[in-house]
Amino acid sequence: MSAALGFNAAMAVLLERRVSTAAKWSRRTALFSATLLVSTVLGHRSGLIDTISLFWLLGLVAAMALLAIVLAVLGYAQLWEFGDRGGRNSTKGLILALIVLVPFCLATHRLLTLPGLVDVSTDLSDPPTFHHAISQRDSSMNTLAYFDRGNAAVQAEAYPEVSGRRYALGLDVALDIVAATTEELGWSTHERARLGGFGGIVTLEVIAPSPWLGLISDVAIRLRDEGDAIYVDLRAASRYGVHDLGGNAAAITRFYAAMEAEIADRNALFQAPAE
């Protein structure tokens, strides 16, 4: 009889195995950070969240993901030492938190390896100038009064591909292609300023959101009419932050790639034999 009671007591102890609270909260915290990340990015891209709030919310997302990792490690420790249930919750929390932290790790790598620029130009001695964009910036944004030529050597070394390009196009055709290119990229036009006639310069100012977060840069696209060709220079300047993480250089190269693809498509259409 006493043996039976002892067996039942042992069974009761096994059935009352504790569940790790840390592991459970690791999964919940990681899920919350992932949900907050997605909703924050979508909210900023749709205009519901301003950029300053975006930065604070992203900081909260990273902090929650790191907390989820700490809780997962604690859950594993409780499983190892006391046999508390929670291995699956710890694993789910750890994996989800690491996924959330991937873009933060990539941003940190760029922060440490790329120069801290927020204004990038293809012409370092005579960059395209902004007119309309200056009036669109408030005191919380980066100033746009001048281009810091002291960063020319740093930019040239970090982004050698960021340089002006010449195209055998007429000015009117080039303007049409530029308009099609900015529309394809999702950039909206601010203003067009035209100086001179033959041999003159046309500068277009556009708003260029980044592909993922929708961070805004103002971009000036300058077309210099050389008679038998058009020389195209760009300048991209971030509205917020002290480091663009390479975003402005990427925007410039993305524009040239899209413009040249548009030119190639039009040439192919023009050269296609009529049926």
Side-chain angles (χ1 to χ4, degrees):
M1 182 68 177
S2 59
L5 289 175
F7 179 76
N8 290 335
M11 287 294 294
V13 171
L14 290 175
L15 291 174
E16 292 175 3
R17 181 184 174 193
R18 294 185 306 179
V19 176
S20 171
T21 303
K24 180 170 58 177
W25 278 102
S26 172
R27 176 179 57 82
R28 292 176 177 176
T29 304
L31 181 60
F32 175 78
S33 68
T35 303
L36 182 60
L37 176 61
V38 173
S39 59
T40 296
V41 172
L42 293 178
H44 183 259
R45 291 190 64 85
S46 63
L48 298 176
I49 298 175
D50 63 84
T51 303
I52 299 298
S53 298
L54 169 72
F55 292 148
W56 283 106
L57 288 170
L58 290 177
L60 178 60
V61 167
M64 296 299 289
L66 290 172
L67 177 59
I69 293 175
V70 172
L71 290 172
V73 172
L74 183 57
Y76 285 130
Q78 291 174 341
L79 172 64
W80 178 262
E81 291 189 30
F82 308 110
D84 291 359
R85 290 187 299 169
R88 290 184 179 179
N89 281 332
S90 291
T91 301
K92 291 177 181 178
L94 179 62
I95 292 174
L96 187 55
L98 290 175
I99 292 174
V100 169
L101 288 175
V102 165
F104 293 94
C105 292
L106 293 175
T108 301
H109 178 263
R110 293 184 177 185
L111 181 69
L112 297 175
T113 58
L114 296 176
L117 303 175
V118 294
D119 194 351
V120 175
S121 174
T122 58
D123 189 337
L124 299 173
S125 59
D126 182 24
T129 56
F130 291 102
H131 299 283
H132 184 74
I134 295 176
S135 64
Q136 300 299 308
R137 297 200 174 194
D138 57 36
S139 58
S140 67
M141 302 178 185
N142 297 328
T143 59
L144 199 58
Y146 67 96
F147 181 80
D148 187 358
R149 292 178 175 82
N151 292 324
V154 174
Q155 180 194 308
E157 181 179 358
Y159 309 118
E161 73 282 1
V162 176
S163 58
R165 303 187 187 183
R166 181 175 285 104
Y167 301 101
L169 300 169
L171 181 58
D172 291 337
V173 174
L175 286 170
D176 185 53
I177 290 175
V178 167
T181 301
T182 55
E183 182 178 358
E184 178 185 347
L185 292 173
W187 297 0
S188 55
T189 303
H190 257 326
E191 183 183 74
R192 176 187 296 183
R194 184 163 187 158
L195 303 175
F198 177 79
I201 298 172
V202 177
T203 302
L204 292 83
E205 296 182 46
V206 300
I207 300 172
S210 63
W212 296 105
L213 291 179
L215 296 173
I216 298 297
S217 287
D218 290 296
V219 178
I221 306 171
R222 184 178 66 196
L223 291 79
R224 190 186 302 273
D225 188 357
E226 297 180 339
D228 58 348
I230 295 294
Y231 198 86
V232 181
D233 278 302
L234 272 77
R235 177 183 172 188
S238 304
R239 289 190 178 183
Y240 294 93
V242 296
H243 199 304
D244 67 3
L245 304 179
N248 287 317
I252 290 174
T253 55
R254 192 162 59 249
F255 173 85
Y256 282 130
M259 182 176 179
E260 289 165 8
E262 179 70 20
I263 294 172
D265 290 343
R266 296 193 181 201
N267 288 339
L269 183 63
F270 179 77
Q271 296 172 2
E275 297 189 11

